[in-house]
Amino acid sequence: MKRFVIDYIRQQSKLKKCLPRKVCSYVRTFCTTPQKLNDVNPKPKIKLDYDYLCDPENAHFIDRLIKSRKNLGDIWKVLEIHKQLKSITSASQEYETLQIELEREALKIPNKASPHLWEYGEDPKILEYVNPKPKFNFRPREFSELGQMLDILRTENLGNLTGSRSYYFKGPLAELEQALTRYTVSYLLKKGFTLMSVPDLLYSHIIEGCGMNTRGEHSQVYHIIDPEEDVCLAGTAEMAIGGYLRNRELALQELPLKLAAMSRCYRAEGSSAQEERGIYRVHGFMKVEMFGVTAVETGEESHQLYLEMIQIQKELFSQLGFHFQILDMPLHDLGAPAYTKTDMEAWMPGRDMYGEISSASNCTDYQARRLNITYRNQEGIQRFVKFIS
């Protein structure tokens, strides 16, 4: 039966004429999913820290944290729903509705943040400058200008081919992109990382499990196909790796996991007019991602792997001769998942500015709780892992 349907829908023009759009969507889904329907796209079991979130004594601190991080979530709404839940029995018709609403609101609350970040205010702390800043006896040209002069880059007049902030690499520039990815991947393999090849298409609940909003005015996520299928383009390989591990219980001896992936990343970037020139802040780009998973037996495992990833990035860029600065980022720049975050910004002579080229974040168990990723320690106690990316 399935083989017959697959052969038939290859005649797409006939299918679209004969069947309504919703039926076409169903048939396509049927023909591209496993035979066991109960195994299709199982959503992770979300296990938030409600003891922390629903404790009134934490409310003012969480509210302050929210206001310092782009006003993500409403802790007072969480507490109000939790109060309503406690006032009714689990047999009530309203109980399940309130539970769903509580989870939806609790998911909007950002991760805790490292206490030292409250000292920074709006500005990051510069931890280090690496390599001398280059000096020129002429005006450096901007990258997009150089690329067009050398006929190795095209960013203009692409409206009839693709969307805005897109690009074509040609010849030496395309070869350079390949060389840089090979350089990075080979370096990570020597550092004990396992290379993965990951999909670009993910269901929205996987992306949201990694702490990125897929809906609303400020979402950077692209939705594709039919909105009813809820498939998105991944913004980073971190999301695909998180999805790969979802609903899994790892063994203590497996940890730490050090994974790497090279993938295409898609983001609906918002930026200033200056950033729109060339290939800075584009909508699609290649990236090599480091992803770490640790235990929590000593409480220092995730921080140690976080420091290791920062050091790896520093070594990679310093060997390329870049002048860059390493920044400890303030609260408003963390995003929802990060407990602490370090950015690296390279000096761009043609723009006369520093621009971000990489970052590392310790996300603690924020994403693991949303994706239900755990391990058992030597005593058999189940705990949530911690993520570093």
Side-chain angles (χ1 to χ4, degrees):
M1 172 63 181
K2 189 167 184 176
R3 183 71 261 167
F4 171 78
V5 177
I6 291 173
D7 290 340
Y8 181 67
I9 64 169
R10 285 174 177 166
Q11 304 176 39
Q12 293 184 16
S13 59
K14 290 183 180 180
L15 183 67
K16 289 179 180 178
K17 290 178 182 177
C18 298
L19 298 176
R21 185 180 181 188
K22 285 188 177 180
V23 177
C24 290
S25 175
Y26 172 77
V27 172
R28 180 171 63 247
T29 302
F30 170 76
C31 293
T32 55
T33 52
Q35 292 286 352
K36 294 183 180 180
L37 296 181
N38 60 343
D39 290 340
V40 177
N41 186 29
K43 291 190 176 183
K45 300 172 185 175
I46 299 170
K47 298 179 180 178
L48 303 180
D49 187 357
Y50 286 112
D51 289 340
Y52 164 72
L53 292 173
C54 297
D55 185 343
E57 293 188 5
N58 297 329
H60 286 284
F61 172 77
I62 296 174
D63 184 56
R64 184 182 168 207
L65 185 66
I66 289 169
K67 290 174 179 176
S68 299
R69 297 175 75 164
K70 302 178 183 178
N71 284 306
L72 299 165
D74 184 344
I75 190 59
W76 306 112
K77 195 169 185 179
V78 170
L79 291 174
E80 178 58 31
I81 298 169
H82 183 252
K83 183 179 179 181
Q84 292 178 46
L85 266 175
K86 291 176 67 177
S87 67
I88 61 177
T89 65
S90 58
S92 168
Q93 292 182 346
E94 189 184 3
Y95 191 85
E96 185 177 351
T97 302
L98 284 173
Q99 273 193 321
I100 294 171
E101 188 178 356
L102 177 64
E103 182 179 278
R104 182 171 61 247
E105 292 301 322
L107 284 169
K108 298 176 185 177
I109 307 297
N111 196 3
K112 300 172 187 176
S114 178
H116 80 278
L117 298 180
W118 292 102
E119 305 169 7
Y120 289 178
E122 294 293 308
D123 298 320
K125 180 180 180 180
I126 300 174
L127 300 177
E128 186 179 358
Y129 289 105
V130 182
N131 291 335
K133 181 185 287 189
K135 297 181 180 179
F136 304 91
N137 57 7
F138 56 88
R139 182 188 68 82
R141 295 183 185 272
E142 204 272 329
F143 177 77
S144 60
E145 185 181 359
L146 283 171
Q148 291 174 8
M149 287 174 57
L150 297 170
D151 190 27
I152 58 175
L153 171 68
R154 180 179 170 186
T155 58
E156 305 294 333
N157 302 318
L158 296 179
N160 61 332
L161 301 173
T162 181
S164 62
R165 301 195 202 172
S166 298
Y167 58 89
Y168 282 84
F169 288 169
K170 179 182 175 183
L173 188 54
E175 293 176 24
L176 178 60
E177 180 185 41
Q178 295 295 316
L180 286 172
T181 55
R182 288 197 299 269
Y183 160 71
T184 305
V185 168
S186 63
Y187 196 84
L188 294 181
L189 293 177
K190 293 175 184 177
K191 293 290 184 178
F193 283 77
T194 299
L195 184 64
M196 298 184 68
S197 181
V198 298
D200 295 332
L201 305 181
L202 298 171
Y203 284 107
S204 64
H205 68 262
I206 297 298
I207 294 174
E208 289 170 356
C210 292
M212 179 172 282
N213 180 29
T214 65
R215 306 285 179 183
E217 181 182 352
H218 302 293
S219 174
Q220 292 184 308
V221 176
Y222 285 111
H223 290 257
I224 68 166
I225 314 177
D226 190 318
E228 293 179 8
E229 294 186 33
D230 209 15
V231 177
C232 305
L233 289 169
T236 169
E238 168 192 344
M239 300 168 181
I241 298 175
Y244 175 81
L245 296 171
R246 84 206 188 296
N247 289 335
R248 284 183 58 182
E249 181 182 286
L250 304 170
L252 180 60
Q253 56 267 29
E254 293 181 77
L255 302 174
L257 283 179
K258 294 165 63 176
L259 306 172
M262 181 179 65
S263 71
R264 194 78 179 169
C265 304
Y266 302 91
R267 299 180 190 177
E269 287 281 5
S271 61
S272 66
Q274 184 185 17
E275 290 177 335
E276 291 177 12
R277 301 195 317 271
I279 60 168
Y280 191 66
R281 298 295 185 193
V282 291
H283 292 315
F285 55 94
M286 292 297 298
K287 181 171 72 128
V288 179
E289 175 82 16
M290 288 188 288
F291 189 90
V293 183
T294 72
V296 291
E297 297 304 292
T298 68
E300 290 297 316
E301 293 97 333
S302 67
H303 183 65
Q304 290 304 315
L305 186 52
Y306 170 63
L307 294 178
E308 181 183 340
M309 287 187 178
I310 293 171
Q311 182 61 28
I312 288 172
Q313 292 178 47
K314 177 182 173 182
E315 291 169 2
L316 284 167
F317 299 134
S318 62
Q319 290 174 20
L320 291 170
F322 296 163
H323 167 67
F324 59 98
Q325 59 183 8
I326 303 176
L327 306 174
D328 193 11
M329 302 307 289
L331 287 166
H332 72 89
D333 248 325
L334 293 186
Y339 175 80
T340 185
K341 177 171 173 275
T342 299
D343 279 6
M344 306 215 175
E345 295 186 345
W347 176 247
M348 302 179 181
R351 293 175 180 259
D352 194 32
M353 60 176 277
Y354 287 97
E356 181 191 342
I357 54 174
S358 75
S359 67
S361 299
N362 185 348
C363 299
T364 63
D365 64 359
Y366 186 84
Q367 295 159 316
R369 285 182 174 275
R370 285 155 172 75
L371 295 170
N372 188 32
I373 305 169
T374 61
Y375 76 97
R376 287 194 184 273
N377 64 13
Q378 292 178 345
E379 288 75 37
I381 300 171
Q382 188 179 47
R383 291 177 172 172
F384 287 100
V385 298
K386 292 191 176 183
F387 283 179
I388 307 91
S389 62

